[in-house]
Amino acid sequence: VCGVREAGLAAEAVEPEPRPHPLPRGPRTIVLAGADAGTDAEALARAGGWPLVAEVVSGARFGRNLMHGYRALVADPALGGRIERVVVFGHPTLARETAALVSRPDVEVLAVRGPGEPLNLNGATVAVDAVRVEPGEADRRWLGAWMRASRAASADLSAAAGGSPSAAPIDRAALVDAVWRATRPRDRLVFGSSTLVRVADAVLVGKKIPVHANRGLAGIDGTIATATGVALASQTGGRPGVTRLLLGDLAVLHDVGALLLPPGEHEPRLQAIVGNDGGGTIFDALEVAKIAGPDAMDRVLYAPHSVRLEHLALAYGWEHERVATRAALDLALASPAGRRRLIEVPLER
């Protein structure tokens, strides 16, 4: 009797699975995937026949419903201006256009719960545990309009990949393209909080690969440590693949202590690709650049430095390689990843 009673109490203590929130077919809908959204966002967009707006750090930047050049599309009155409902996965942080969208009082916003603070920029966002698409016909005209605009807005990086002169310097678009192309599904890609992640978000096409990032106000802190943990976790049990960390020079300096690997620890298969423009160009595109004087911008925000990254890398036991052309970068990215390697890419401000 006691055993039966205990089993009954245990059954009562188990909480039922949350009921998915139903999504009727009617409203003009997009699926918005921010940081840590995962593959559920792509699955919902496919099931609903809705446009997928996926940040490069979302883990959902793939699939036939993915929208390229999404910032311009969301800001377009003929597309973004007609949105009636947004279903959000993860935390969107990379684009002002999507932040403005989910702040609109005339748009129904549903945010699927995840780790961290729930999204609620419009004061009326509904947090849900899960969602499901109700039966019915997809709005093909709505999706078709987005698909046509997406094709027109997609960036062509084929010249950077192979058509440019071998001695041509690397720009940011070519750098993010090279790292994206080199990364395969068995690999891991970690983005630092820098200008490069925003360039990647603007120009890179869809690809189903595991992506990680530290986002938020303190996202620049601990980037190398995060990538080291991702690398070590991904190679447990003898699993193949390499972890690539793409970040700027200031992000390296913010976490320089994480370059140290104590004796006896496992060696991570980790490539840190550093776009070195001698400071923090991320602030050039933020609101503060409109009010700060040139001297303040250079000294306080750009924060110029003369750190020799090769000396820093070697002091901490990393291999170092400085590459200045796309051909050299592609070769460095394809090199066997047995040890930690810092690949430095000089960039213009």
Side-chain angles (χ1 to χ4, degrees), residues 267-271 316-319 336-341:
E267 182 82 19
R269 295 192 297 269
L270 178 59
Q271 294 178 343
Y316 280 97
W318 289 59
E319 297 176 352
R339 297 194 58 212
R340 293 162 294 152
R341 172 176 291 188

Side-chain angles (χ1 to χ4, degrees), residues 76-170:
D76 183 354
L79 291 172
R82 299 176 61 223
I83 294 172
E84 296 175 331
R85 182 174 61 190
V86 182
V87 184
V88 184
F89 291 79
H91 283 265
T93 61
L94 288 177
R96 294 179 178 88
E97 293 83 356
T98 53
L101 172 63
V102 296
S103 300
R104 282 169 45 185
D106 62 319
V107 174
E108 178 188 5
V109 182
L110 302 171
V112 179
R113 288 189 180 94
E117 188 73 15
L119 176 76
N120 189 11
L121 296 184
N122 65 356
T125 296
V126 176
V128 296
D129 292 310
V131 291
R132 64 174 176 83
V133 181
E134 290 195 334
E137 290 292 325
D139 189 343
R140 297 183 183 277
R141 294 180 62 184
W142 175 244
L143 179 60
W146 280 81
M147 294 293 289
R148 289 189 294 273
S150 172
R151 286 193 293 268
S154 61
D156 182 7
L157 298 176
S158 56
S164 58
S166 59
I170 303 171

Side-chain angles (χ1 to χ4, degrees), residues 39-297:
T39 59
D40 287 348
E42 189 277 335
L44 179 69
R46 183 161 29 89
W50 295 317
L52 172 63
V53 168
E55 293 185 347
V56 74
V57 296
S58 67
R61 201 182 184 100
F62 64 94
R64 61 175 180 265
N65 289 34
L66 177 67
M67 298 297 115
H68 303 292
Y70 72 82
R71 298 179 190 186
L73 275 56
V74 169
D76 183 354
L79 291 172
R82 299 176 61 223
I83 294 172
E84 296 175 331
R85 182 174 61 190
V86 182
V87 184
V88 184
F89 291 79
H91 283 265
T93 61
L94 288 177
R96 294 179 178 88
E97 293 83 356
T98 53
L101 172 63
V102 296
S103 300
R104 282 169 45 185
D106 62 319
V107 174
E108 178 188 5
V109 182
L110 302 171
V112 179
R113 288 189 180 94
E117 188 73 15
L119 176 76
N120 189 11
L121 296 184
N122 65 356
T125 296
V126 176
V128 296
D129 292 310
V131 291
R132 64 174 176 83
V133 181
E134 290 195 334
E137 290 292 325
D139 189 343
R140 297 183 183 277
R141 294 180 62 184
W142 175 244
L143 179 60
W146 280 81
M147 294 293 289
R148 289 189 294 273
S150 172
R151 286 193 293 268
S154 61
D156 182 7
L157 298 176
S158 56
S164 58
S166 59
I170 303 171
D171 62 13
R172 291 174 181 81
L175 172 54
V176 300
D177 177 63
V179 175
W180 192 251
R181 288 176 187 264
T183 303
R184 300 179 179 182
R186 67 182 184 184
D187 299 329
R188 297 290 188 277
L189 180 56
V190 182
F191 281 100
S193 293
S194 66
T195 302
L196 292 171
V197 69
R198 285 169 168 77
V199 173
D201 190 57
V203 304
L204 291 181
V205 299
K207 190 176 186 180
K208 190 176 182 180
I209 54 177
V211 179
H212 309 269
N214 294 342
R215 303 302 304 152
L217 294 178
I220 196 173
D221 297 326
T223 310
I224 299 172
T226 296
T228 301
V230 169
L232 290 172
S234 67
Q235 64 193 51
T236 56
R239 287 180 290 178
V242 59
T243 297
R244 294 185 176 88
L245 167 62
L246 180 60
L247 73 172
D249 45 312
L250 286 191
V252 172
L253 299 182
H254 265 262
D255 197 28
V256 66
L259 291 172
L260 178 65
L261 186 68
E265 298 293 333
H266 294 291
E267 182 82 19
R269 295 192 297 269
L270 178 59
Q271 294 178 343
I273 303 99
V274 183
N276 189 355
D277 52 22
T281 54
I282 191 172
F283 295 105
D284 293 348
L286 299 183
E287 288 81 358
V288 68
K290 300 176 182 178
I291 58 175
D295 291 342
M297 278 295 298

